[in-house]
Amino acid sequence: MHPHLFPVSLLLFMFLVAAIPRVVVSEDDDRFVRCGTEYECGNMKIGYPFWGGDRPDYCGHPGFELECDGEAPEFTMEGASYRVLDINDSTNTVTVARADVWDSNCPDSYVNTTLNTSLFSYVSTTSYSELTLYYQCVYLASIPNQFNCSNSSIICYFTIQDLSLGDVSLWSCDVNVKIPIFESAANAIVSGGGTVDGLREAVKEGFGLFWNANNNLCKECVESGGHCGYNDSSQFVCYCRDGPSSASTCLNPATSSPEKISHGICGDNTRD
């Protein structure tokens, strides 16, 4: 080999290597990573706006904390607990049932179903009937749809709004609890003769709710590659690979530089 060729070749190789653009790969933001983890309970995996367990509070909306009873996730709203039966992220809807009457018609306390209307609304008010459970009643011979609670000889009754199951006057019972059920389930109770088994089936079918948790902002965040959440000031946040975004989306990969491309996840980095 000619004695001058090797140094020239080496210098040319070093020049070409130096001319190649270097891509800086940084570690993903911890909040981005953690908010990409779903809440797991039973056979369900749940994301934003819900949080709980190993899924931090900043990965969801403050009003959507979940607890797992081993079989299904539950959340509390206005003094009552609700069992999550199904979630549809594409329509922002959740099917729930009252947890306190899931295993028994006799709850420990008497609480009506009341929605936090800033977070939830009924999917369709025309598809529901109102089931009323009456407790601590006097005997009403004309009403067959009755049940007893354990540890008590006091008679209880149930009726359905606008459907004929007998007339229980409020003067006949000390307390009542109102629970929405699907209209189809209410019709099944009536057609079945108002049995306790029909009551149990209707309660376990639950009812549908639409949630409102900055749904449009979260959609924009997810479409940009982010995860949704909230911050300490209860403000919506889009978590991106390089940290929270001040906008509802992460940096558009199509217009970003090759050295720093962001992808996001929706969240809330503020809290009440």
Side-chain angles (χ1 to χ4, degrees), residues 74-261:
E74 296 181 359
F75 67 91
T76 301
M77 175 173 57
E78 303 298 328
S81 295
Y82 297 86
R83 184 184 181 104
V84 177
L85 306 180
D86 184 61
I87 286 183
N88 189 326
D89 291 318
S90 62
T91 58
N92 304 126
T93 56
V94 55
T95 303
V96 300
R98 283 284 294 262
D100 54 347
V101 292
W102 179 261
D103 295 316
S104 170
N105 296 324
C106 310
D108 294 332
S109 59
Y110 305 115
V111 181
N112 284 326
T113 300
T114 304
L115 301 187
N116 180 340
T117 54
S118 65
L119 302 180
F120 292 99
S121 60
Y122 291 110
V123 172
S124 172
T125 57
T126 60
S127 63
Y128 297 98
S129 291
E130 186 175 81
L131 169 69
T132 304
L133 305 177
Y134 293 91
Y135 299 93
Q136 303 174 13
C137 305
V138 299
Y139 178 66
L140 300 173
S142 61
I143 300 180
N145 41 296
Q146 57 183 266
F147 61 93
N148 290 90
C149 291
S150 59
N151 304 322
S152 173
S153 60
I154 298 177
I155 297 173
C156 309
Y157 299 89
F158 63 94
T159 62
I160 298 175
Q161 183 181 24
D162 300 328
L163 295 177
S164 178
L165 269 181
D167 180 23
V168 178
S169 170
L170 291 178
W171 296 107
S172 304
C173 305
D174 290 340
V175 65
N176 65 83
V177 174
K178 298 182 184 300
I179 300 173
I181 58 175
F182 287 118
E183 186 176 27
S184 57
N187 290 328
I189 291 179
V190 176
S191 63
T195 65
V196 174
D197 287 341
L199 167 65
R200 300 299 313 135
E201 291 177 7
V203 169
K204 290 195 172 188
E205 284 188 24
F207 53 96
L209 297 175
F210 175 84
W211 75 68
N212 179 25
N214 292 298
N215 300 345
N216 292 333
L217 293 180
C218 187
K219 180 180 179 181
E220 294 175 357
C221 174
V222 171
E223 289 177 347
S224 73
H227 296 308
C228 308
Y230 275 73
N231 60 20
D232 294 335
S233 303
S234 294
Q235 301 293 324
F236 176 84
V237 173
C238 185
Y239 290 115
C240 307
R241 291 188 182 276
D242 56 357
S245 172
S246 58
S248 61
T249 61
C250 297
L251 185 63
N252 188 343
T255 59
S256 62
S257 65
E259 289 83 7
K260 192 174 185 180
I261 297 178

